Amino acid sequence: MIELARELRRSYALVERNFNLIRRYIGWEIVFLVYTVVNTLTIAFIGVNPATGGGGDRVLYLVVGALLWGFLSVLFHEVAESVQWERWEGTIEYSFMAPMKRLSYLGGVCLYAATYGAVRTVVVMLAVVALFKLDLGSANLGAALVVLLLSSLSFIGVGLMAAVLPLLSPEKGSQAAHILEAAILLVSGVYYEVSVLPGWLQPLSRLSPATYTLRAARAALLENASLRDIGGDLVLLLAIGVVLIPLGLKVFNWGELHAMRTGKLKRSG
Amino acid sequence: MEDTALECIGARKVFRVKKETRPETHLSTEWSVASAAGDPGGQDAAQPGTHGGKQGPGVNGHGAAIGATNGRHRGRLALSRAMATLFPRSVPVEAVSGVTFSVKRGEIFGILGPNGSGKSTLIRLISTLLLPDDGEIRVFGHDVVRERFAVRRLINRVSVEAAFFKKLSAMENLSYAARLYDVDIRQARRTAIEILKRLGFGENKAYEPLEDLSRGMQQKVAVARALLTSPVLLLLDEPTTGLDPVSKREVQDYVLEVRDSHDTTVILTTHDMQEADRLCDRVAIIDQGRFVALDTPMHLKAGLGRNGDGEAATLEDVFFALTGKALKESHPEEGD
């Protein structure tokens, strides 16, 4: 129990450090936030536009996609880029030399990512709701929240796997993580049904946890679906998280050992 | 706790480093052949697939044929260059080569060597940041590979490059370090200020972003960060590089003070022979990954006797005599 408390305090080091960094980069944070708000509003306006057959639930359909993708991509980015960021700052050796379980290190990164992503998403959501006067009276917000929690687990798992890439290849690892993120965006039906994808791409959508997240969240928010109604997707999201998080940790540990064997923890690689 | 702080038995580390490829050299030869054959398109030799010979009249009618052959060669060379860029060849380079030594508890042990001699690699092996390919390293009886976590509780390190989140202040960086090592945060902040003041670092500077401070100031924060966690084995990798003489002296005095007051063992790598002479109980000289001498500074100097000018030998004279090179001479194959 005492050891657990110690590890939690160590995890908090990452959360505090990253929020301190936000304060120091506050100008950029504001720019990114404004950009995200404007981007989401732009997407929502596509839903209103009569020329594209807009109206009705279409705005909410697109907004749900934009908000969820905003949250999940922040989660993915923060976890996947944690190693790359430390490498860039030159602190990776110091952080990895600390007597801290890697689970606690990555747990801290994930805790920060989820908190930061949630705060950003709430700000964007408030802006969208205020401008479009969206009616969420018939939405099952509780079920949507459960979807968000379970999808966070699966995205943390994907992020952990991507975080190892800079340990394997200091130069190309981060690039590969961006490609993975783009592929998830393409196949997951963020702004459209996956049925509109070419036949050869549709099987990939079934591999992406974002597909189930978006389908379940839309059902909860647009059709007032209950937890029972979206139970299948929830089980899938949970299963993906349960499999990917331990697997991600295993892969990360393997990647760290590889970096220690080849000297790639060092900034210059 | 054991009386032996560190045991290093036959430690060896090999890196694979990317090797320069040869196509450039071949290309020059091709270009020479083309030029000698009177190929005015020789200037295009660097462009893959250009049949330079066909652009000019050639000599005795051979120019076109040679040019076409050269074109094919150039194509192959371009392909080979592309492959070399995509899949660069690497060769093994031994950075640390079967090093054996031990350090007694409470000792200040110096490792001297030119850049690229393996000093920092050795420190990284002890710091659990690298896995040795061979041999064994034990810190107070704990193996650095099998008992990494236990070793990490006992050590801290100051690296030559002050590695921080430069946008954060000294205090924010030190708080981060304290939390990673589970040091009580209030106590850590008080201790940090005390250490920084002791190193001649004004308290008001502790809240400014580190990027606004000089390298010397940053290095003092690095020293404070390492000492904040009360390590029993302190690894100092060129800690005073870039410091002015006053700051250098402050750090050196503090290292001696820490050793005496905190029962800390210190392993120090340095280029500064006077620093090594002043601080170290024993000194090892490392060259191309191997220890070429290990003794007290006094014995090392006595062993050489007098230098070329007939004066009593200094540690620097010993160093030159044993390595045959200047202190900052670089070994190109290892980024030490």
Side-chain angles (χ1 to χ4, degrees):
Chain A
M1 201 64 189
I2 293 169
E3 193 53 40
L4 177 67
R6 273 192 187 139
E7 290 302 317
L8 285 174
R9 284 199 293 271
R10 287 175 172 136
S11 294
Y12 180 69
L14 279 295
V15 179
E16 184 184 58
R17 181 201 77 188
N18 286 352
F19 276 111
N20 280 336
L21 281 168
I22 285 181
R23 276 197 305 119
R24 298 287 181 180
Y25 285 102
I26 194 68
W28 279 112
E29 280 302 322
I30 292 168
V31 169
F32 290 146
L33 189 59
V34 169
Y35 183 88
T36 310
V37 169
V38 171
N39 189 44
T40 309
L41 294 178
T42 310
I43 290 163
F45 277 118
I46 294 171
V48 179
N49 187 8
T52 53
D57 282 344
R58 190 152 174 198
V59 176
L60 193 54
Y61 181 94
L62 289 171
V63 166
V64 168
L67 287 175
L68 275 177
W69 181 249
F71 174 75
L72 295 176
S73 60
V74 164
L75 199 60
F76 175 80
H77 254 284
E78 292 298 328
V79 177
E81 301 245 313
S82 54
V83 168
Q84 189 62 13
W85 180 258
E86 289 234 36
R87 182 188 288 284
W88 183 73
E89 290 276 11
T91 55
I92 190 164
E93 287 195 327
Y94 190 83
S95 293
F96 277 27
M97 200 183 70
M100 176 187 199
K101 290 190 166 57
R102 207 51 76 231
L103 178 64
S104 310
Y105 176 89
L106 294 167
V109 169
C110 295
L111 184 61
Y112 161 76
T115 314
Y116 174 65
V119 170
R120 279 178 64 111
T121 306
V122 166
V123 172
V124 178
M125 191 171 72
L126 290 176
V128 175
V129 168
L131 194 72
F132 289 93
K133 304 199 171 21
L134 294 176
D135 179 18
L136 296 174
S138 59
N140 187 345
L141 291 172
L145 198 62
V146 173
V147 173
L148 202 61
L149 288 174
L150 291 181
S151 63
S152 298
L153 294 180
S154 53
F155 259 72
I156 284 170
V158 179
L160 290 176
M161 300 249 232
V164 81
L165 295 172
L167 289 175
L168 303 180
S169 171
E171 296 300 322
K172 301 184 185 93
S174 185
Q175 296 161 8
H178 279 90
I179 291 168
L180 177 63
E181 186 189 358
I184 293 173
L185 172 65
L186 177 69
V187 303
S188 304
V190 176
Y191 302 116
Y192 40 78
E193 293 296 314
V194 291
S195 58
V196 305
L197 291 169
W200 62 272
L201 266 181
Q202 290 190 21
L204 292 178
S205 72
R206 287 194 276 278
L207 297 175
S208 165
T211 304
Y212 309 110
T213 305
L214 288 153
R215 192 166 67 192
R218 283 185 175 127
L221 293 171
L222 275 72
E223 299 158 21
N224 194 23
S226 66
L227 285 176
R228 182 186 290 271
D229 296 333
I230 55 174
D233 284 338
L234 294 181
V235 169
L236 270 171
L237 284 173
L238 183 64
I240 293 171
V242 164
V243 170
L244 284 190
I245 289 180
L247 190 63
L249 284 169
K250 192 93 180 154
V251 169
F252 193 92
N253 281 334
W254 174 80
E256 187 181 346
L257 283 175
H258 171 80
M260 287 164 68
R261 203 170 291 120
T262 53
K264 285 182 177 164
L265 278 184
K266 199 176 157 188
R267 184 178 179 179
S268 59
Chain B
M1 195 168 268
E2 297 198 5
D3 279 340
T4 305
L6 176 76
E7 268 184 298
C8 184
I9 305 159
R12 184 168 163 270
K13 185 68 200 167
V14 176
F15 291 116
R16 293 199 73 83
V17 294
K18 286 173 188 166
K19 190 169 171 59
E20 288 284 323
T21 48
R22 292 180 58 85
E24 287 295 338
T25 317
H26 292 171
L27 198 62
S28 318
T29 313
E30 293 291 331
W31 189 86
S32 306
V33 171
S35 302
D39 176 10
Q43 290 289 347
D44 292 329
Q47 293 176 18
T50 304
H51 294 266
K54 287 185 178 175
Q55 292 169 10
V59 177
N60 300 329
H62 295 299
I66 292 171
T69 307
N70 287 339
R72 282 195 295 278
H73 279 309
R74 285 173 204 139
R76 281 200 291 273
L77 282 167
L79 181 64
S80 123
R81 284 167 71 183
M83 293 298 285
T85 307
L86 284 172
F87 308 103
R89 282 193 305 146
S90 59
V91 292
V93 172
E94 204 165 35
V96 172
S97 185
V99 167
T100 297
F101 69 104
S102 66
V103 178
K104 288 195 284 285
R105 182 180 170 181
E107 192 175 14
I108 298 182
F109 185 87
I111 302 174
L112 309 181
N115 285 342
S117 57
K119 301 186 301 292
S120 295
T121 300
L122 190 53
I123 292 288
R124 282 191 170 86
L125 288 168
I126 301 166
S127 313
T128 74
L129 292 168
L130 281 175
L131 294 176
D133 293 311
D134 219 339
E136 197 177 347
I137 302 174
R138 293 185 157 272
V139 173
F140 287 100
H142 298 288
D143 186 277
V144 295
V145 177
R146 288 188 294 277
E147 300 167 273
R148 277 200 297 276
F149 202 76
V151 171
R152 287 170 182 170
R153 286 180 199 274
L154 301 173
I155 63 170
N156 213 318
R157 162 177 172 252
V158 176
S159 61
V160 63
E161 64 284 334
F164 288 107
F165 288 90
K166 298 270 167 58
K167 280 276 176 197
L168 299 184
S169 68
M171 195 48 79
E172 285 165 339
N173 273 289
L174 293 172
S175 296
Y176 171 60
R179 287 197 193 278
L180 284 186
Y181 283 77
D182 196 35
V183 178
D184 176 71
I185 196 68
R186 286 195 196 116
Q187 180 59 41
R189 283 180 182 144
R190 277 195 297 272
T191 311
I193 291 294
E194 282 168 23
I195 298 172
L196 288 173
K197 277 184 181 168
R198 176 69 187 76
L199 292 170
F201 188 104
E203 187 176 347
N204 57 329
K205 296 268 183 202
Y207 300 95
E208 289 179 21
L210 275 172
E211 65 182 0
D212 296 341
L213 304 181
S214 67
R215 182 181 145 65
M217 297 288 252
Q218 291 180 19
Q219 199 62 5
K220 285 181 179 180
V221 179
V223 172
R225 179 174 65 179
L227 294 169
L228 193 62
T229 62
S230 307
V232 286
L233 178 62
L234 182 59
L235 304 162
L236 301 176
D237 193 2
E238 299 180 37
T240 57
T241 299
L243 298 191
D244 62 70
V246 175
S247 299
K248 193 177 269 194
R249 181 51 76 108
E250 283 167 341
V251 170
Q252 289 172 358
D253 287 345
Y254 195 60
V255 169
L256 289 171
E257 188 181 313
V258 165
R259 188 268 297 268
D260 296 337
S261 59
H262 290 79
D263 188 23
T264 302
T265 307
V266 180
I267 296 181
L268 168 80
T269 77
T270 183
H271 282 134
D272 186 331
M273 297 291 137
Q274 287 178 332
E275 180 171 280
D277 208 353
R278 178 165 183 246
L279 297 184
C280 299
D281 300 306
R282 285 188 304 150
V283 163
I285 296 177
I286 187 170
D287 189 29
Q288 294 187 22
R290 293 173 192 278
F291 276 5
V292 292
L294 198 172
D295 211 330
T296 61
M298 197 175 71
H299 281 130
L300 287 172
K301 288 184 285 186
L304 188 62
R306 299 201 166 270
N307 65 16
D309 298 330
E311 295 165 350
T314 63
L315 208 49
E316 195 163 350
D317 296 323
V318 176
F319 183 88
F320 288 142
L322 287 168
T323 66
K325 59 185 76 170
L327 283 172
K328 303 244 172 182
E329 186 173 323
S330 175
H331 191 284
E333 290 180 316
E334 189 216 331
D336 189 326

